[in-house]
Amino acid sequence: MKKLYKAILITAICTMGATGADAQFLRSAYFLDKSVERHNLNPALVPDRGFVTIPFVGSVNASYTSNQLALSDIFYQRDGKLVTFLDNRVSADEFLRGLKSNNQINADVRYDLVQAGWWRGEAFWSVGMSVKVNTSIGIPRSLLEFLKDGNGPDGRTYNISGLRAKTDAYAEFSVGYARDIDRRWSVGGRFKLLPGAGNADMRFDRLYATLEEDIWHIDSHGELHTSMKGLEYKQKDDDHGRPYVNGFDFGSFGIGGFGAAVDLGAQFKVNDNIRLSAALLDLGFIRWSRNATRYAKADGEFDYDGFELPVGDKDLPTVSDQFDAMKEDLENLFRFREEDHGRARTSMLVATLVMGAEYGIMESKITFGLLSTTRFYRPKAYTELTASVNFKPVWWFGGTLSYSAVHSNFQTYGLALNFTPNGFNFFVGSDYMITRVNSQYIPVNARGENLYLGMSVPLAYRRVPYRKPRKFY
């Protein structure tokens, strides 16, 4: 029996692996007052010293999260070997139990080419240049059922409607300003100019696969929007002579659009021990030019015989060969047909709402933090709640231990370390430290992973401090 296409999920897995590990910042750094990274989470939270990152090696942040799918849901250990969920030795019940009706995978990468901040009087100024990539994939449970257990009696129909994938790639040039209004209130903002490198948005509001005498009958309606300078669709004719998109040609690379965004933040110090803060990040858009935009549409019915993958056989193709075959079949299955040259279009950034509360003891050498971050992915927003204990024993070192409640179900913990000896600052951290792996080093049950590394050179201290060292004010 022929099996229908498996590449959508494999593409999602590749995305997870390619990014290495929700959002383009590290939540565990939010309450480390000497960390440069916390300024990216709230522009009102600025360090006591200025800084400049080391160009091109200053900082990198890679992350992924899922509302359900973990790597251990995709890879299994059988007979001493690592296999995928497609292997016949992995039962459909084992793979499918616990999956949600809609499974979301979000992956982000931020690479800071250079960042700098400095005090001028009572104001803190900052500038930065970064590259960002955001990817969001929505996978219906019905697709996962079909991929694993696609054989069945004639007339069986899988409703795969709701499948969606979206990605944005752009550069970011920013300038920020922050200051204390008085001894209780601090505010900050950041304006960002966004040259767009590329955007792709694929969605299906109707996608049915019905088995009819060893052939899958496909009924689909979907859209594919792409915006990238130099990108052209490759086309191939189906059995009826109708052209459809089966690949992409990439010409000269360039800017496909421009946009802008703002970050806004504030902090309120209730008393010597308590402070509250909030920020709204990446509130903005990118306008993609007509010349860089292509549009294709899937609308109609056709027959598709899929391909035969010898899952469980001794001569199973390599993972790389499977990916290549699945990618080709994906293009054949979806049957997008280019409609016209396209028109200018606008894509919104993935905005983030941040709210934090911190309580300090022992003159703030130890503090307890609670942080809520909500990422407004489409079609659904995701909230993570992070509790942390923060240690600031000496002026040159700070550390955080954290737990994040939503994506990890408290099966992982976070760790952040910030070292600031004379003349140098080094930061490393993760919100989802891996605590359990199998024999092939695949993380077990972790629904999120991220890693942040940063290096910078400290500059002059703030000249007009409003609070004593280790005090909230």
Side-chain angles (χ1 to χ4, degrees), residues 27 65-70 73 98 100 383-386 402-413 431-433 435 444-448:
R27 291 181 299 275
T65 54
S66 172
N67 66 336
Q68 181 58 42
L69 287 172
D73 295 318
K100 297 182 179 294
T383 298
E384 183 70 283
L385 188 65
T386 302
S402 67
Y403 273 109
S404 295
V406 180
H407 294 298
S408 62
N409 287 341
F410 284 97
Q411 296 182 31
T412 60
Y413 67 91
D431 294 319
Y432 302 107
M433 296 292 291
T435 58
V444 177
N445 299 327
R447 300 178 187 173

Side-chain angles (χ1 to χ4, degrees), residues 45 182-186 266-271 274-278 356 358 472-473:
L45 304 182
D182 53 33
R183 290 183 177 271
R184 291 185 180 271
W185 282 98
S186 302
Q267 177 180 242
F268 178 68
K269 302 165 187 173
V270 179
N271 54 38
I274 301 173
R275 54 184 172 183
L276 309 174
S277 57
E358 186 178 15
F472 280 169
Y473 66 83

Side-chain angles (χ1 to χ4, degrees), residues 44 49 51 89 100 145 151 199 224 292 400 416 458:
R49 299 183 67 174
F51 68 91
R89 289 166 290 184
K100 297 182 179 294
E145 293 175 341
N151 298 331
N199 166 274
L224 173 63
T400 290

Side-chain angles (χ1 to χ4, degrees), residues 271 273-275 357-361 366-370 390 472:
N271 54 38
N273 299 320
I274 301 173
R275 54 184 172 183
E358 186 178 15
Y359 177 77
I361 60 175
I366 299 178
T367 69
F368 303 90
L370 187 63
N390 313 286
F472 280 169

Side-chain angles (χ1 to χ4, degrees), residues 105-127:
I105 294 174
N106 307 311
D108 301 303
V109 175
R110 190 190 85 218
Y111 177 41
D112 296 325
L113 301 177
V114 64
Q115 287 195 80
W118 64 93
W119 285 99
R120 185 173 179 84
E122 299 180 7
F124 185 82
W125 291 87
S126 62
V127 295

